Amino acid sequence: MPETRTFRIAAIPADGVGREVVASGRAVLDALADTSEAFAFDWQEFDWGSDYYARTGKMMADDGLEQLKDFDAIYFGAVGWPTVPDHISLWGLRLRICQSFDQWANVRPVHFMPGITSPLRKADDTELDWVVVRENSEGEYAGLGGRNLAGRGPGGEVAVQSALFTEVGCERIIRFAFDLARTRTRRKVSSVTKSNAQQYGMVLWDDVFKRVAADYPDVETESVLVDAMSAKFVLHPEDLSVVVASNLNADILSDLGSALAGSLGLAASANLNPERRFPSMFEPVHGSAPDIAGQGLANPIGAVGSAALMLDHFGLPDQAARLNKAIETVTGASILTRDVGGTATTDDVTKALIDALNN
């Protein structure tokens, strides 16, 4: 009998609907593991987030990174709550983990699912499927800068926010995008910048893209300004396969892509440390949604899709495919939450996903 592989996963539900969708994802993953003797999950949950901040003045424990570093992966919910300024909650938890663990590749698939109506008319009769690759360690989210000169009085303060682009950072994410493109039916990488206006960091990105592209003659390429790419997402999405962009630009574009697919509630993501020196983190991108938190209305599909990305990362592509097939079975049967036009609850969708795995 083959030995069971047990994956140790740190669950951080954090805030709002993050708690509901992480619970859903855990239930689905455990149900999947129950169908196989080849793998299992060992969960440890951490109560960090905005409630923890209210008690301690911190978003996570001082030694939180030390506690997390030996897990096989991190399964994250969402961060943010009206009682905590957004920059404190984000930098105190999610970005602290991403940057400290050098999770430099953020992968966000844009997948159009059966049974879900897209606001994009082209999706009715055109096969659309692409992935946004986001540089996740520097760029506009490097955290460099500061506020000063408050002593001048009201209206006199100055804030400086610097974007950081390094040749190493640009090259590794661009190569990651090209390697990913080689695994897809359409071998194409679209690089996105705003180098006509940002003439230093993004011109460096453009230069590195051209140099790296020469090593991948079998992959089609294009360089597009971010405003033009925003229009292309809407007007010509059939021309997309892998879109690689800086931290901020890819963040915005991937949200646009998810909205075009039907809802941010569908969107999965992986924050990868490809060298595996640290655990990678998997999370839906919909945020904490305080307006519906605790009401059983959250869409768990994004969290479950993120779990499928985690299975791929673990070297279980067949199990990831089973999970993605279950998602499509459920959406195709119109078992949908409110954000995509249905009436199902979070628990309804969770149960349907488990049933689909068992059938």
Side-chain angles (χ1 to χ4, degrees):
M1 294 290 293
E3 183 178 350
T4 300
R5 297 174 62 191
T6 299
F7 299 99
R8 296 183 63 239
I9 305 176
I12 308 177
D15 300 329
V17 299
R19 302 175 186 179
E20 299 164 68
V21 299
V22 164
S24 175
R26 287 182 59 170
V28 174
L29 280 171
D30 285 339
L32 181 67
D34 287 344
T35 67
S36 172
E37 297 181 355
F39 64 97
F41 302 108
D42 177 14
W43 299 93
Q44 182 173 340
E45 186 163 307
F46 295 85
D47 67 345
W48 303 329
S50 294
D51 284 350
Y52 186 88
Y53 181 86
R55 300 194 306 269
T56 67
K58 301 169 184 176
M59 288 296 295
M60 66 185 296
D62 288 337
D63 66 344
L65 297 173
E66 182 67 22
Q67 293 186 53
L68 293 174
K69 68 179 179 63
D70 292 325
F71 281 87
D72 294 307
I74 302 164
Y75 193 43
F76 192 85
V79 67
W81 199 248
T83 56
V84 183
D86 287 342
H87 66 282
I88 290 176
S89 60
L90 187 64
W91 279 97
L93 186 55
R94 184 190 174 278
L95 286 180
R96 183 179 173 193
I97 294 170
C98 283
Q99 294 202 346
S100 298
F101 287 164
D102 200 22
Q103 295 169 349
W104 52 265
N106 180 234
V107 178
R108 296 188 173 188
V110 179
H111 185 54
F112 291 72
M113 298 176 187
I116 294 178
T117 301
S118 166
L120 196 63
R121 286 185 295 176
K122 186 167 284 188
D124 295 341
D125 54 16
T126 307
E127 184 175 346
L128 302 174
D129 187 75
W130 69 93
V131 59
V132 177
V133 173
R134 172 186 178 187
E135 200 294 312
N136 211 35
S137 66
E138 50 183 53
E140 303 87 349
Y141 290 15
L144 304 178
R147 294 173 62 173
N148 212 331
L149 305 182
R152 290 178 175 179
E157 191 174 6
V158 173
V160 175
Q161 189 82 42
S162 297
L164 174 70
F165 292 86
T166 68
E167 192 165 2
V168 168
C170 294
E171 178 162 350
R172 66 184 184 178
I173 196 64
I174 290 169
R175 286 194 181 277
F176 182 95
F178 273 97
D179 289 337
L180 178 60
R182 278 180 165 171
T183 70
R184 294 175 59 82
T185 303
R186 176 86 182 270
R187 293 186 172 192
K188 180 180 180 181
V189 177
S190 303
S191 172
V192 182
T193 65
K194 188 61 178 171
S195 50
N196 57 344
Q198 296 175 300
Q199 73 271 44
Y200 303 122
M202 289 197 170
V203 170
L204 173 62
W205 176 292
D206 287 343
D207 290 344
V208 173
F209 182 75
K210 292 174 185 175
R211 174 168 58 79
V212 171
D215 294 336
Y216 295 83
D218 55 317
V219 179
E220 184 184 354
T221 65
E222 65 176 352
S223 293
V224 185
L225 296 177
V226 65
D227 40 357
M229 182 56 79
S230 299
K232 188 168 188 173
F233 265 43
V234 176
L235 299 176
H236 300 291
E238 72 280 1
D239 196 39
L240 302 173
S241 181
V242 176
V243 177
V244 62
S246 68
N247 219 326
L248 177 60
N249 288 338
D251 190 9
I252 296 169
L253 286 171
S254 60
D255 279 8
L256 173 59
S258 299
L260 294 173
S263 170
L264 290 183
L266 305 170
S269 79
N271 302 286
L272 301 176
N273 174 247
E275 301 87 358
R276 300 176 188 260
R277 294 184 297 116
F278 302 102
S280 296
M281 183 162 67
F282 302 84
E283 60 173 329
V285 305
H286 50 57
S288 59
D291 57 323
I292 63 168
Q295 300 176 45
L297 301 175
N299 191 339
I301 294 295
V304 176
S306 300
L309 293 173
M310 183 166 65
L311 293 172
D312 262 328
H313 181 69
F314 287 157
L316 299 170
D318 292 342
Q319 300 299 330
R322 283 187 64 197
L323 202 49
N324 283 321
K325 182 180 178 181
I327 290 172
E328 294 202 350
T329 297
V330 170
T331 62
S334 296
I335 304 171
L336 307 173
T337 47
R338 189 177 68 175
D339 59 307
V340 283
T343 59
T345 66
T346 308
D347 287 345
D348 292 336
V349 176
T350 304
K351 181 180 183 301
L353 288 165
I354 293 172
D355 289 345
L357 288 173
N358 290 327
N359 291 333

